Amino acid sequence: MTVIDISPSVMQFLLAFIVVAPLLGAVAALLPAPPGLKGRNPDQAVLRHGVTVTGAVLIAAIVLATGFDHDHPATMQATTDISWIPALDVRIHLGIDGISLPLLLLTALLTFLCALYSYFKPPAGPSPKAFTALVLVLESGTLATFAVLDLLLFFLAFEMVLIPMYFLIARWGGDQRRAAAWKFILYTLLGSVVMLLGLLLIGLRSGTFDMVALATDNGRGLTTSVQVIAVLAIGVGLAVKTPMWPLHSWLPDAHTAAPTVGSVLLAGVLLKMGTYGFVRILLPIAPDGMRTFAPYLAAFAVVGIVYGSLACLALARKGAKGDLKRLIAYSSVGHMGFVLLGIATMTPTGVNGALFANIAHGLITGLLFFLAGAVKDRYGTADLDTLAGATGAALYGRAPRLGALLAFAAVASLGLPGLAGFWGEMLTLFGAYSPAEGLSRPAFRTFMAIGAFGTLLTAAYMLIVVRRVCMGEHSPHSELSPASTPADAPETADAPEPAGTGPSATTPPRPATPQPGATTPQLADIQTYEAATWTPLAALTVLAGLWPAVLLGLTDPAVQKLLAGGKS
């Protein structure tokens, strides 16, 4: 069943357009604007170009989804297969199924929302031309990762996103941005080198780099030892990008330093590339190798769940000087741990839960980073102690709609039933209760129990954040005024440290204690452009929570076929 009937040739064109258009748009962004399109402000003109290109890609992705045959989501559709390097049998092979289509739509949506947000609130830094071009290159590489069906093309697309994200952090980020960017690039590049060796091993030993053919063969053409080596090599590269504990340490620094748009794309899109590689490549192509490493992958996953939650609790406590963006980054380590646990079960229930959690994390954490950026713009800091001590009313009293949306995103992140975050975690735990044949049931049930404990820790730190940031702590002696920067001012590239934190800083005079009945100083509440950017994410979070069959109906047949060795 298709929503609208689209011919196969048009579907092929749409998928190729989705992958290539952002790259062409990036080139166009660097060229001088035609006289009629310059407008009064050339910077705004190039940012408007970014909105136009990403909007066109989003429309094409939606049309592609409406033309997708939902009765056969396990079948590769909109396929293009052209010989590229005959000597190595490398082909330009594109296609989508029920696994890749939701990730394609998520990427197109988040990138468009980031471009729209940047148009109204440009980040401070170098030329907007370079910023727009980097965002478009990043989008093209991410979309290609989810659309290509050749191992070497997958690697090229996987690496294509690293340089744009490095420059987005290094040039448009905040404090410690250069160190964070270097840490990001070094971790991911070292992981990618190891991953390339594993991909070459599979391709050379099997005689093809075609992912569909390799998935259909289901590892029968590879010895167990080759599969084990390949899973170890490829898994390391994918685990760095996911990020899996203990290869996660680049993530909090990158998120803390990145501009708002960079954090949204990093959490909402780039982390999904690692888990997608586990599902698309390792599960069907090297099942014996995955079975060998599945218990270890699950163990690392649940350690990440608990570690990420404990780190968030430590940051959220009073007096810890925790950063809100850093806390959300650590929460991603825990949430992606649930995704890895679901993949490690090697069952349809667990893998479907992992894919659902992937999409839910992209929506919810993308919204959280948008909100964290807005809070930082208004207060001039993301320090939790400052945010909580600013007034006894905090966000609820100063910007009630912003506070309410932050509370909504927080409870969605903790897995409240009826919202998107619930289903992925629940299905993952169900999958761990009854793992695939050959895996230790007692071990995975232990992992399930630890993961369930992690959900309680997640609820604890998220509720603490809501209480402190939204409700505040009644402390009349710590009344602070909101940042003097207006809400629509550009993001600060190098935010100064709060007074009193530097080694030679002097303590500022304490503001007067507010008198009883005094009006709480107000902050700018949600602006029109912010509402336009954030509403789709909130609405989809509710829709996915109330109607999970929309997503599971796409992924389940494709997962069943993938785990069965290409047989429906």
Side-chain angles (χ1 to χ4, degrees), residues 300-324:
F300 283 127
V302 296
V303 170
I305 292 171
V306 175
Y307 170 83
S309 298
L310 292 176
C312 289
L313 280 172
L315 289 170
R317 65 183 174 85
K318 186 176 181 179
K321 305 298 292 182
D323 185 278
L324 180 59

Side-chain angles (χ1 to χ4, degrees), residues 530-558:
E530 292 174 329
T533 304
W534 304 339
T535 300
L537 299 179
L540 288 172
T541 298
V542 175
L543 177 63
L546 296 178
W547 197 8
V550 173
L551 184 55
L552 294 174
L554 282 173
T555 62
D556 185 53

Side-chain angles (χ1 to χ4, degrees), residues 204-360:
L204 296 176
R205 286 301 182 96
S206 61
T208 181
F209 289 98
D210 187 87
M211 292 159 65
V212 176
L214 289 167
T216 304
D217 188 60
N218 202 219
R220 287 181 284 269
L222 300 171
T223 64
T224 301
S225 60
V226 169
Q227 289 189 38
V228 168
I229 295 172
V231 169
L232 180 60
I234 298 172
V236 167
L238 297 175
V240 171
K241 186 66 71 75
T242 298
M244 181 186 77
W245 181 92
L247 303 174
H248 69 284
S249 61
W250 61 269
L251 184 71
D253 292 341
H255 271 310
T256 305
T260 298
V261 166
S263 292
V264 171
L265 292 176
L266 182 58
V269 175
L270 265 67
L271 303 190
K272 313 303 175 283
M273 295 166 63
T275 52
Y276 175 77
F278 276 104
V279 174
R280 177 65 74 195
I281 297 175
L282 295 185
L283 278 178
I285 295 176
D288 293 338
M290 270 298 292
R291 197 169 288 108
T292 299
F293 283 106
Y296 304 102
L297 179 63
F300 283 127
V302 296
V303 170
I305 292 171
V306 175
Y307 170 83
S309 298
L310 292 176
C312 289
L313 280 172
L315 289 170
R317 65 183 174 85
K318 186 176 181 179
K321 305 298 292 182
D323 185 278
L324 180 59
K325 289 184 69 177
R326 194 173 190 86
L327 184 144
I328 298 171
Y330 271 111
S331 76
S332 291
V333 176
H335 289 307
M336 298 311 290
F338 279 103
V339 178
L340 290 173
L341 177 60
I343 294 170
T345 67
M346 299 184 69
T347 62
T349 301
V351 176
N352 275 303
L355 294 172
F356 199 103
N358 247 353
I359 300 299

